[in-house]
Amino acid sequence: MAWLSSPAFADNKPLSSSVDYLSILLSLALVIGLVFMLGYLLRRFNVTQTGSAQMKVVGSMALGTRERILVIQVGEEQHMLGVTPQNINHLARLQTNLDTPAPSGESFKLKLGQLMQGQKGKDHD
């Protein structure tokens, strides 16, 4: 019990004013809002989706709130899948492969390079 009388606890004052309670409430709301915002961003930008050289998602389209059509590439073949919360159905094997988009980092790199080249051209004029 000697640790309760230490100087670290001597400065603690009980919450007495509504400003103290409001400050705690706003801090808690800020933290909860930050958690929900990060969760939304992770879902929105599909950060958890991974792919490999052998299998990757080429494209997707939402059909409803929880139903999607996916085109996946397995090796050199592409397949169309119907995805619902209950199951996944193979719809078709594509005869003609869809174009696979460049990785987002590569397209950003290209756009940034083009923008910088455009800016350099304007600076020299």
Side-chain angles (χ1 to χ4, degrees):
M1 288 286 182
W3 58 273
L4 286 176
S5 62
S6 70
F9 290 102
D11 294 339
N12 287 345
K13 299 176 187 170
L15 299 175
S16 58
S17 69
S18 60
V19 174
D20 294 335
Y21 289 110
L22 183 62
S23 173
I24 290 172
L25 184 65
L26 288 177
S27 299
L28 181 63
L30 179 69
V31 169
I32 291 173
L34 184 64
V35 167
F36 278 110
M37 183 182 68
L38 287 174
Y40 170 77
L41 289 174
L42 286 174
R43 237 181 325 129
R44 175 79 174 124
F45 294 111
N46 206 6
V47 174
T48 59
Q49 183 178 11
T50 59
S52 67
Q54 288 77 29
M55 186 173 11
K56 59 185 168 186
V57 176
V58 175
S60 68
M61 183 175 85
L63 298 175
T65 55
R66 296 168 53 181
E67 298 83 15
R68 303 185 74 74
I69 290 182
L70 297 176
V71 175
I72 63 166
Q73 183 163 344
V74 180
E76 296 298 319
E77 296 181 351
Q78 290 186 351
H79 298 272
M80 186 179 298
L81 305 175
V83 179
T84 66
Q86 290 80 24
N87 58 13
I88 299 171
N89 294 318
H90 182 264
L91 302 176
R93 180 184 174 277
L94 300 180
Q95 299 299 322
T96 306
N97 287 351
L98 299 176
D99 294 331
T100 55
S104 60
E106 291 297 319
S107 64
F108 175 74
K109 184 178 174 181
L110 287 171
K111 288 179 183 177
L112 182 62
Q114 290 172 351
L115 179 66
M116 291 176 70
Q117 290 296 330
Q119 293 294 339
K120 286 181 182 178
K122 290 179 183 177
D123 290 342
H124 293 300
D125 291 341

